[in-house]
Amino acid sequence: MKLKLIFITYLLSGIYSSGNACGLVVDSLLSKLNIVLANKERFVNQKRTRIKGLTNQLNMVNGLTGKYNIYQNLYDEYKNYSYDSAYHYAKQLQITARHLHDPQRLAFAKMELGFTLISSGMFKETLETLNSINISHLSKDNKIDYYFLKARSYFDLSDFDRNIDYSDVYNPKGIQCIDSALVFCLPGSYNDLALNGLRDLRIGNYQEGLQNYTRLLQLRGLSPHQFAINACCMSYIYEVLGDQDKSINLLIRAAVADLQSATKETVAIYKLADFLYKKGDLNNAFIYIKQAMDDATFYGARHRQVTISSILPIIEAQRINTIEQQRRSLFIYASIITVLILFVVVFAVIIFRQLKKLRIADDLIKAANTSLQQNNRMLEELNRNLSIANKIKNEYIGYYFNINSIYIDKLESFQKSIEKKLSNKRYDDAQKAIKNLNLESERQQLFHTFDKVFLQLFPDFINKFDELFQPEERICVTEGQLLSTEHRIFALIRMGIHDTDRIAKLLSYSVNTIYAYKNRIKNKSFIPNDEFDDHIMAIEAI
């Protein structure tokens, strides 16, 4: 059992019995609290899920040691959530420890039972249980918890009796127990700061107490439960010192943390309700005091129920009186508003008729506007396509005339060479020149020129083409070439030449060969065959 789990129930012992609440409440914090309160079942369901998981584990464990560990985990879940269940598992821990003949576990189980008893307000039974423990069987950390729990018992008795004769007996005993616990604490640790803070709080050394709790809240890794504990302590000190703003802000944040950790035995939201009631915020005060009563009833903390019952009827009665006054005011306002509504209805009918006419006109305008937008989009697409086609046409007209000019020059040169050889009756040289004519080289040169012009128009063609294939299926271009045969076929398609026979003639292949190339390429792509050409046509020119 950890000191942090004991600490919050000490706060529930009634140390907030004095002090006046005043000052401003931060609206943003109250809004956050209301949001968390509206979602409280989510946090409770998370705890129930953990409990269900542990219960399922318990049914599958056979060994006593395993059962003891799961009983401990179940107790930890219930100790600040439900008294009856916590009491049950505390008893199970004792029974299992006896069967294991383990005095250390038995001493620890008794301490857990003591915590449960004091949480429900059974102070006498708590001290009897603690006094029956042989502390030599407790570990160093457990001794800290033991002395703290005993100190809390004395403090709770002092606060419950509210008699100076008994307080003078119980308070010093509680301080002695804290001193005994501090012997086992590391300086600056969580337990050291918490015990010193509590000691300062009980003896009225509030400035040092604030320092201890400030350092405590600055420790890294504090859980919502730990934050709620320390925020409540600081809130009380600020209340005594008269800083109501800081006091109520810390209470709100502590209440949020309690809800987030599904803690049912808590004082923060009860004290917050008391603050807000005194400030006149009856709506929030009623909501929070009801929540405090629901939590106390759910847990089974009878002393908390008695404390809350003393203020709940007062807040509820005041809230009812306020509601009645509001009802009377609302009746007067409703009468005035009714008359105004009659005038509004008359004007509304007139306005409705005008709006109906405007709506019809608006529909006609919208329909015309939609049609105009569609036409504009079609024109833009058409203009874009015409622009691209015009650019392609211009490029390839220049390419066509350039190629024709080159080949006319070559033919003219070749013609002159042949005529010269024939006129000189060098028939063998003429025949040899004809045989040396390399048409394949000329064809490759033609393809190279085509590729160069095409890639000027479509510089991203190869990259876009490769994106239609998995990396291992992409087509490699032979070194020295700009486009492969496969690329060239689909380049012609992108140029608008879809006729297979025409493509075959341009590339000097048979129609069947072109079909074979196209089918093989489409089968390699992850794009459906019937959509492949559409993706090719979607590749844009610069």
Side-chain angles (χ1 to χ4, degrees):
M1 177 175 60
K2 302 296 182 183
L3 178 60
K4 63 183 180 181
L5 295 177
I6 303 175
F7 204 29
I8 191 169
T9 49
Y10 166 72
L11 298 174
L12 298 172
S13 61
I15 62 174
Y16 284 112
S17 57
S18 64
N20 296 319
C22 62
L24 299 176
V25 179
V26 176
D27 292 337
S28 61
L29 288 176
L30 280 176
S31 298
K32 180 179 179 180
L33 174 58
N34 290 332
I35 291 172
V36 174
L37 186 60
N39 293 278
K40 64 180 179 179
E41 286 303 314
R42 178 164 63 90
F43 303 108
V44 172
N45 288 334
Q46 291 173 357
K47 178 176 281 289
R48 288 173 179 167
T49 299
R50 294 195 299 270
I51 291 172
K52 184 177 180 181
L54 291 170
T55 304
N56 292 335
Q57 292 180 34
L58 182 63
N59 295 331
M60 295 185 290
V61 172
N62 294 322
L64 289 175
T65 301
K67 286 185 177 294
Y68 183 92
N69 292 334
I70 296 178
Y71 285 143
Q72 179 63 59
N73 292 333
L74 284 166
Y75 174 81
D76 289 339
E77 290 290 345
Y78 278 116
K79 65 188 307 179
N80 291 312
Y81 181 67
S82 172
Y83 163 75
D84 291 336
S85 297
Y87 182 85
H88 168 75
Y89 286 110
K91 297 295 290 184
Q92 290 298 318
L93 285 172
Q94 289 188 67
I95 294 170
T96 308
R98 289 192 183 97
H99 288 161
L100 289 169
H101 304 290
D102 189 332
Q104 292 182 348
R105 283 193 172 98
L106 181 59
F108 181 77
K110 286 184 177 180
M111 194 166 62
E112 299 283 50
L113 179 62
F115 177 86
T116 303
L117 292 172
I118 199 170
S119 297
S120 66
M122 302 171 69
F123 309 129
K124 174 177 175 294
E125 291 79 2
T126 301
L127 285 172
E128 290 175 351
T129 301
L130 294 177
N131 289 332
S132 70
I133 297 174
N134 185 346
I135 62 173
S136 64
H137 293 150
L138 295 175
S139 66
K140 180 180 176 181
D141 289 339
N142 289 338
K143 285 178 182 178
I144 297 174
D145 294 339
Y146 171 82
Y147 283 116
F148 178 84
L149 188 57
K150 203 164 187 179
R152 178 198 159 186
S153 301
Y154 287 123
F155 292 150
D156 283 1
L157 278 171
S158 174
D159 293 331
F160 183 78
D161 290 343
R162 298 180 183 276
N163 185 298
I164 190 170
D165 292 333
Y166 293 106
S167 296
D168 289 343
V169 175
Y170 292 136
N171 276 325
K173 288 185 177 182
I175 298 298
Q176 289 176 6
C177 290
I178 288 182
D179 292 337
S180 298
L182 285 169
V183 173
F184 301 101
C185 295
L186 291 174
S189 65
Y190 181 90
N191 289 341
D192 178 68
L193 294 173
L195 287 166
N196 274 303
L198 177 58
R199 191 179 192 280
D200 293 333
L201 188 149
R202 294 302 302 194
I203 65 176
N205 192 3
Y206 298 124
Q207 292 300 331
E208 289 190 17
L210 278 181
Q211 294 177 11
N212 282 311
Y213 285 121
T214 300
R215 291 177 60 193
L216 196 58
L217 288 178
Q218 292 174 349
L219 292 177
R220 298 181 63 182
L222 286 180
S223 66
H225 187 62
Q226 289 174 309
F227 179 83
I229 294 168
N230 300 299
C232 279
C233 288
M234 286 193 73
S235 173
Y236 173 70
I237 293 176
Y238 278 125
E239 179 188 354
V240 174
L241 295 177
D243 194 336
Q244 303 300 325
D245 291 347
K246 291 182 179 178
S247 177
I248 194 169
N249 289 347
L250 283 167
L251 272 181
I252 296 171
R253 295 168 67 189
V256 169
D258 282 331
L259 288 167
Q260 291 175 336
S261 59
T263 298
K264 295 296 184 181
E265 191 201 11
T266 174
V267 73
I269 201 165
Y270 153 69
K271 186 59 182 177
L272 178 61
D274 189 29
F275 264 114
L276 296 178
Y277 165 68
K278 292 172 182 178
K279 281 180 58 64
D281 187 355
L282 296 178
N283 288 331
N284 281 326
F286 181 74
I287 292 171
Y288 301 153
I289 198 68
K290 285 285 291 180
Q291 180 62 35
M293 177 59 81
D294 291 344
D295 286 344
T297 303
F298 184 91
Y299 181 81
R302 286 161 287 188
H303 61 306
R304 300 306 310 156
Q305 294 178 51
V306 171
T307 303
I308 296 170
S309 296
S310 65
I311 188 174
L312 176 60
I314 298 173
I315 295 176
E316 190 167 13
Q318 186 65 35
R319 180 170 174 269
I320 291 172
N321 290 335
T322 302
I323 293 173
E324 287 298 325
Q325 292 176 1
Q326 291 174 346
R327 284 180 178 176
R328 287 192 291 269
S329 298
L330 285 174
F331 178 77
I332 296 172
Y333 296 147
S335 301
I336 297 172
I337 291 171
T338 301
V339 176
L340 293 175
I341 288 174
L342 293 175
F343 287 103
V344 170
V345 169
V346 174
F347 286 110
V349 172
I350 298 172
I351 293 171
F352 176 76
R353 290 177 179 175
Q354 296 299 321
L355 286 175
K356 188 175 181 181
K357 295 178 181 178
L358 289 174
R359 192 178 296 112
I360 294 171
D362 186 57
D363 291 340
L364 292 174
I365 293 171
K366 286 181 178 178
N369 187 49
T370 301
S371 177
L372 183 60
Q373 289 177 352
Q374 291 176 349
N375 291 335
N376 286 337
R377 285 194 293 269
M378 291 173 64
L379 286 173
E380 288 174 0
E381 181 67 19
L382 182 59
N383 286 334
R384 189 177 69 85
N385 292 335
L386 287 174
S387 177
I388 293 172
N390 188 54
K391 186 171 185 178
I392 294 171
K393 180 190 70 174
N394 291 336
E395 288 287 337
Y396 274 93
I397 286 173
Y399 159 70
Y400 172 77
F401 280 106
N402 183 53
I403 289 295
N404 283 349
S405 176
I406 291 171
Y407 279 103
I408 287 170
D409 290 342
K410 286 183 178 181
L411 286 173
E412 184 178 5
S413 176
F414 185 72
Q415 182 184 18
K416 289 178 180 180
S417 175
I418 294 298
E419 286 177 352
K420 185 177 181 181
K421 287 178 173 52
L422 291 174
S423 65
N424 293 330
K425 298 183 180 181
R426 293 163 55 193
Y427 302 117
D428 291 337
D429 290 343
Q431 188 175 12
K432 185 178 180 181
I434 293 172
K435 288 181 179 179
N436 289 336
L437 184 61
N438 192 346
L439 296 177
E440 181 60 29
S441 175
E442 296 298 329
R443 183 178 293 108
Q444 293 302 321
Q445 180 63 35
L446 175 66
F447 290 162
H448 181 81
T449 306
F450 169 81
D451 296 347
K452 183 178 180 181
V453 175
F454 179 81
L455 290 177
Q456 288 177 354
L457 287 169
F458 298 90
D460 292 333
F461 180 80
I462 293 178
N463 291 334
K464 297 296 184 181
F465 188 85
D466 287 346
E467 289 176 0
L468 305 179
F469 302 87
Q470 298 294 344
E472 64 275 7
E473 298 292 344
R474 290 174 182 172
I475 299 166
C476 297
V477 179
T478 305
E479 186 176 356
Q481 291 187 353
L482 297 177
L483 295 176
S484 67
T485 301
E486 292 87 345
H487 288 132
R488 201 170 291 124
I489 291 171
F490 287 97
L492 288 169
I493 291 175
R494 179 61 187 88
M495 295 293 296
I497 303 173
H498 297 276
D499 182 48
T500 304
D501 184 61
R502 188 178 177 191
I503 293 173
K505 289 178 180 179
L506 289 171
L507 298 181
S508 297
Y509 287 111
S510 68
V511 173
N512 290 336
T513 301
I514 298 300
Y515 273 121
Y517 270 117
K518 291 172 66 176
N519 289 332
R520 185 171 72 250
I521 292 301
K522 291 181 178 180
N523 290 334
K524 286 184 178 181
S525 173
F526 53 77
I527 303 297
N529 288 4
D530 56 350
E531 297 178 10
F532 190 84
D533 286 355
D534 293 336
H535 283 76
I536 294 296
M537 295 303 295
I539 300 175
E540 295 184 355
I542 57 173

